[in-house]
Amino acid sequence: MSSCITLKPSVLFLLLTLCGSPFPQHLLADNIISDKRKAIHINTPVESLEEETNSTPAETTEEIWERWFALYAQEELDDNADSWEDMHDALQETIAKPLNINAATCEQLEALPFLNSIQANDIVNYIRRYGAMKSKKELVAITSLDEYRRRLLECFITIGEAKAPTTAFPEKKHHQYTNELTTFVQIPTYTRKGYNDKYYGPKYKHWLKYTFSCDKSIKFGITASQDAGEPFFSRYNNKGYDYYSAYLLIDNLGPVKRLAVGRYKFSSGLGLVVNQGFNLGKMMMTQTFATPSKNVIKQHSSRSEQNYMQGVAASLKISKSLIFNAFISYKHLDATLNDDGSVATINTSGYHRTEKEIEKRNNTAMSTAGAHIAFDLASLHVGVTAVATHYNRPLVPNTSAIYRLIYPQGNDFFNASIDYSVTRRRLTFSGETATNRKGKIATLNSLSYYLTPHLSLTLIHRYFSYLYHSPHSNSFSDGGKTQNESGVFLGLWWETKGGLVVDGYLDIAYFAFPRYKVSASAYSLDTYLSAKKRIDKWTMVAKYRMRRRQKDFTLDNKQKTLAWETTHRTTVGGEWNSGKWYSDFTATATVHCFDIISRGALLSNETGLNTKRFSIAATLKYFSTNDYDSRLYSNERSPLYTFHMPAYYGNGMRYALITKWKPWQGATLTAKAGTTRYFDRDTIGSGAEQIDESSQCDIELQINIKL
């Protein structure tokens, strides 16, 4: 007869510590609890965790998330630039007001584009099981988070109390008010040709943004923006700024989970019917699974003049597992009209600089109403969405080109869908199937599986009928539209024991109906592979992407046929960071093959210093490409709520200097000067945007005050 001795976890921990043995990760994750938190490292005293403050080093909040954002955005900017700019603004707002990790919900965590539903649930379940986190270092116990995402998440969270306010109007002693005012002006040292005879306004771009919040349950914001060349208190504009936007957001007002008044964004499901948030690109899908949106209503606080609703939206909590969301919207649009007053095209640039642009301003109205009901029970989610849209002028596109035959036509549109997801341990299945009033189908389905905590696979299938139309859809695709596409995507994410993070994908798409520059059915192939590794003070990155698309090619006898257009793009880089000083080196090369072969290369370095009150960064880039087809993108540090990632082509250099100074707590003054100099041309741009110089220099000034 044998006997078994059972040791309590605390005794086992003590014995292993005295013996100097390494502690198994699974025992660490499941058994060790000390003062409602885990001891993350055997050799890390509890006292050292308690001494860690909630502040994040300057290099973490400033560099890490910008580097991560640039890593993905610069490869996919051609496909959805507006979406990436919206994402940048949303993340910037979260950085300014980070989440309290101990009070954050799964919905709030899933709103961060680098976290998937499994990781969000793992974080929430960890806090429920072991109590409030005492240190950001505890994130290492979330085994589904790799080191790269752990460091990234630290930028967006604080360690606060576990209990959050339950109503929008808590007791007076708990009130916490925040006011934030940001002003920005861009001053060009050059003059574009259009200012001589076409543009009605000055050449300066400027905007201001004000936000008020109370206890993170009440939020009000207003944004006023003026693009360069638009009249300011002159000509056809006597209201000052060309663009004004305001919103009021209230959370937890009795049974009303969220109420939005003014301009807001509404999203549901996987975006087949309505998605006014950002659309995650393919590279993001290797680490963030496609799951139905639970952050249905958000404020519209960016300077984007598109992709928002205007009116009222509310989210009502009917029961613990049942949420009802509804909205109504009425807004004006810019449009190019036909001779009979119908709409030829909807204009989305937002520019009102010339007589023709001003004539198109707000000449069309769109009314929209919709609802979404969601049922969530444990690992099961089911939602139903219905949206009706009416234009006061009929859409009548010019169908002389064959690819325009499938453009939406008429005044009224109706779309409905059902979205669903099931999570079973490390397996997640999710999707959405939608239809329009003509019964045409769009469906997107995703299957994600964690083979181990450090290896996951994602499979996504989509089918969008070429006759499916939805005015507000924005979903995962290769062609940029939720229409005329079917395809299969396979993504992989893997973290090795040595800390090497590898992710990649293979995507094959088919387009049944002709498209722009493609006069027949066609295919596309997209592959991507990247590797990231942190070694002491260095973070190394290497990535490769090959993209192949079929498009029209004219033969010698002037007949058209389909040929493959192929683009290869390779990037290698390394960032050295000592805490205060950092330096980032990147080299990118591209080869574009179609009728001819064109090549391009870009070398970039950014070096900077960060202290509590002052930071400075210098950027130097050299680029050389054969033509626009071999263009390259490169991110650059900019003031708050601004996004700078232009296309570089031709031969030239870019150099910029940005400084930030905090004269007192809550105030940040930013100044930036940047010059792009070309060696292969005497003028820059064309038409009204032409600059009769070989270089262009912009000065940017910003003041940000928080009280």
Side-chain angles (χ1 to χ4, degrees):
M1 180 177 181
S2 62
S3 61
C4 178
I5 300 176
T6 303
L7 295 178
K8 293 183 178 180
S10 57
V11 176
L12 182 58
F13 174 79
L14 178 61
L15 290 175
L16 288 171
T17 304
L18 292 175
C19 295
S21 302
F23 202 80
Q25 177 67 26
H26 69 279
L27 291 178
L28 177 66
D30 294 333
N31 296 326
I32 302 302
I33 309 172
S34 176
D35 295 331
K36 293 186 179 181
R37 67 177 179 271
K38 294 183 189 176
I40 301 304
H41 298 292
I42 290 302
N43 297 321
T44 302
V46 171
E47 291 78 7
S48 67
L49 294 179
E50 293 174 342
E51 289 173 1
E52 182 183 326
T53 64
N54 290 340
S55 62
T56 307
E59 63 93 8
T60 302
T61 56
E62 295 294 337
E63 276 80 48
I64 291 193
W65 87 270
E66 288 277 9
R67 297 280 190 277
W68 167 85
F69 186 83
L71 181 67
Y72 295 97
Q74 66 188 16
E75 292 291 344
E76 302 195 75
L77 205 63
D78 273 340
D79 299 329
N80 210 338
D82 291 339
S83 183
W84 284 98
E85 190 165 356
D86 284 347
M87 186 193 300
H88 186 274
D89 283 356
L91 291 175
Q92 190 76 70
E93 288 187 350
T94 308
I95 284 283
K97 296 179 181 177
L99 291 171
N100 173 8
I101 191 68
N102 290 319
T105 64
C106 284
E107 294 177 10
Q108 292 172 319
L109 291 171
E110 286 178 33
L112 297 173
F114 52 86
L115 292 183
N116 58 50
S117 57
I118 290 178
Q119 293 158 346
N121 275 298
D122 285 350
I123 294 170
V124 171
N125 290 335
Y126 172 89
I127 294 172
R128 286 174 181 169
R129 184 173 183 182
Y130 299 107
M133 287 188 181
K134 301 297 182 182
S135 164
K136 293 179 181 179
K137 290 182 180 179
E138 290 192 58
L139 291 173
V140 77
I142 312 299
T143 56
S144 58
L145 289 175
D146 61 87
E147 181 187 10
Y148 202 72
R149 269 181 279 194
R150 285 196 297 269
R151 295 177 66 214
L152 191 58
L153 182 57
E154 289 179 6
C155 305
F156 296 87
I157 65 170
T158 58
I159 305 297
E161 296 181 0
K163 187 176 180 181
T166 56
T167 67
F169 303 99
E171 296 179 11
K172 186 175 181 180
K173 63 180 181 180
H174 295 302
H175 281 333
Q176 293 182 357
Y177 302 101
T178 302
N179 292 273
E180 180 179 359
L181 176 65
T182 306
T183 62
F184 171 89
V185 61
Q186 183 183 67
I187 306 169
T189 61
Y190 51 87
T191 300
R192 298 186 185 274
K193 192 174 181 180
Y195 292 103
N196 298 326
D197 55 1
K198 288 189 176 182
Y199 295 161
Y200 287 155
K203 62 182 181 180
Y204 309 108
K205 176 181 179 179
H206 53 99
W207 53 264
L208 61 86
K209 184 174 184 178
Y210 169 74
T211 304
F212 166 82
S213 62
C214 174
D215 304 308
K216 294 188 177 181
S217 295
I218 302 176
K219 193 173 183 180
F220 167 77
I222 183 169
T223 301
S225 177
Q226 192 80 9
D227 289 317
E230 295 177 336
F232 186 66
F233 281 118
S234 64
R235 296 273 184 158
Y236 300 95
N237 180 18
N238 58 4
K239 297 180 181 179
Y241 284 94
D242 178 77
Y243 170 75
Y244 290 96
S245 179
Y247 69 87
L248 173 65
L249 200 69
I250 302 177
D251 288 337
N252 303 316
L253 185 61
V256 179
K257 186 180 178 183
R258 171 163 288 187
L259 175 67
V261 180
R263 291 186 175 176
Y264 59 90
K265 293 178 179 292
F266 192 92
S267 303
S268 70
L270 297 179
L272 299 187
V273 172
V274 55
N275 176 20
Q276 296 180 318
F278 37 78
N279 176 24
L280 300 180
K282 296 180 185 178
M283 298 176 192
M284 300 284 289
M285 285 301 179
T286 62
Q287 56 177 292
T288 307
F289 309 146
T291 54
S293 174
K294 296 180 182 178
N295 258 344
V296 175
I297 302 171
K298 300 179 183 178
Q299 73 271 17
H300 175 69
S301 57
S302 73
R303 301 184 308 280
S304 171
E305 300 186 32
Q306 306 297 326
N307 201 31
Y308 65 84
M309 299 291 184
Q310 182 172 265
V312 180
S315 180
L316 182 65
K317 190 172 184 178
I318 299 175
S319 67
K320 186 177 180 179
S321 57
L322 196 61
I323 303 293
F324 178 74
N325 307 283
F327 71 93
I328 187 168
S329 169
Y330 178 85
K331 68 176 185 178
H332 286 94
L333 306 171
D334 295 356
T336 301
L337 302 181
N338 296 310
D339 293 338
D340 60 359
S342 59
V343 175
T345 58
I346 301 293
N347 299 331
T348 59
S349 69
Y351 288 129
H352 306 111
R353 303 162 299 181
T354 66
E355 182 178 358
K356 288 186 177 181
E357 289 175 348
I358 292 173
E359 286 177 356
K360 299 173 184 178
R361 182 177 183 179
N362 295 338
N363 60 10
T364 303
M366 179 174 68
S367 304
T368 311
H372 173 259
I373 188 166
F375 174 80
D376 289 275
L377 182 62
S379 59
L380 174 66
H381 166 87
V382 179
V384 177
T385 303
V387 175
T389 303
H390 172 76
Y391 293 91
N392 69 330
R393 298 176 185 269
L395 304 184
V396 184
N398 182 352
T399 56
S400 58
I402 187 173
Y403 65 89
R404 293 193 184 126
L405 289 173
I406 61 172
Y407 279 19
Q409 300 183 35
N411 293 85
D412 298 293
F413 299 86
F414 177 80
N415 299 86
S417 74
I418 178 170
D419 59 270
Y420 36 85
S421 70
V422 178
T423 302
R424 186 66 177 174
R425 296 191 179 184
R426 294 303 175 186
L427 180 68
T428 299
F429 172 73
S430 59
E432 182 179 17
T433 300
T435 184
N436 61 4
R437 63 186 304 172
K438 294 182 180 180
K440 303 305 178 182
I441 298 296
T443 183
L444 176 69
N445 296 278
S446 168
L447 182 65
S448 305
Y449 183 61
Y450 267 107
L451 282 77
T452 73
H454 304 285
L455 177 62
S456 68
L457 294 174
T458 301
L459 178 66
I460 300 175
H461 172 264
R462 73 268 190 191
Y463 167 76
F464 310 142
S465 167
Y466 63 83
L467 292 178
Y468 177 80
H469 304 125
S470 179
H472 311 287
S473 62
N474 181 19
S475 191
F476 177 86
S477 68
D478 180 80
K481 294 182 179 180
T482 313
Q483 183 187 27
N484 186 31
E485 180 176 328
S486 58
V488 177
F489 170 94
L490 178 62
L492 174 143
W493 171 85
W494 177 40
E495 182 187 21
T496 69
K497 292 183 179 179
L500 177 68
V501 177
V502 178
D503 62 305
Y505 67 75
L506 170 66
D507 184 58
I508 302 173
Y510 172 71
F511 308 93
F513 200 84
R515 298 178 299 144
Y516 178 63
K517 292 186 177 181
V518 186
S519 57
S521 302
Y523 289 89
S524 74
L525 173 67
D526 193 3
T527 60
Y528 169 78
L529 182 67
S530 80
K532 300 179 285 289
K533 171 72 174 177
R534 188 182 181 191
I535 306 173
D536 194 20
K537 295 179 181 180
W538 284 90
T539 301
M540 311 299 294
V541 176
K543 56 182 180 177
Y544 167 76
R545 187 180 189 185
M546 182 190 71
R547 191 162 197 175
R548 305 193 71 199
R549 289 178 170 177
Q550 287 183 310
K551 60 186 296 187
D552 287 344
F553 181 76
T554 304
L555 301 173
D556 293 338
N557 58 6
K558 296 184 179 181
Q559 290 185 345
K560 286 186 178 181
T561 186
L562 291 183
W564 286 99
E565 178 188 43
T566 305
T567 302
H568 303 270
R569 187 169 294 158
T570 304
T571 300
V572 293
E575 177 193 357
W576 173 83
N577 202 311
S578 66
K580 288 187 177 180
W581 288 96
Y582 71 92
S583 189
D584 180 53
F585 305 88
T586 303
T588 304
T590 185
V591 178
H592 177 267
C593 308
F594 189 52
D595 51 344
I596 61 172
I597 297 177
S598 62
R599 296 177 175 86
L602 186 149
L603 302 176
S604 174
N605 171 250
E606 181 179 303
T607 301
L609 167 69
N610 284 307
T611 65
K612 281 188 175 181
R613 291 187 174 272
F614 178 78
S615 68
I616 185 169
T619 300
L620 179 63
K621 301 176 183 179
Y622 172 77
F623 56 92
S624 178
T625 75
N626 294 135
D627 51 32
Y628 182 76
D629 287 332
S630 53
R631 65 193 177 278
L632 293 160
Y633 294 91
S634 180
N635 188 46
E636 186 173 294
R637 185 75 55 82
S638 297
L640 292 171
Y641 307 114
T642 58
F643 177 61
H644 186 78
M645 191 178 286
Y648 293 100
Y649 61 96
N651 182 245
M653 295 186 69
R654 167 75 180 177
Y655 38 93
L657 183 70
I658 182 171
T659 64
K660 294 184 180 181
W661 177 45
K662 299 180 180 179
W664 65 84
Q665 186 176 2
T668 303
L669 308 181
T670 305
K672 178 183 177 180
T675 299
T676 304
R677 183 176 299 276
Y678 293 90
F679 305 142
D680 60 345
R681 67 195 75 173
D682 296 324
T683 62
I684 302 172
S686 60
E689 289 290 282
Q690 180 174 310
I691 303 170
D692 292 328
E693 301 177 33
S694 61
S695 66
Q696 61 182 100
C697 175
D698 292 281
I699 298 172
E700 299 176 356
L701 303 173
Q702 185 183 82
I703 300 174
N704 177 263
I705 299 175
K706 297 178 184 178
L707 300 174

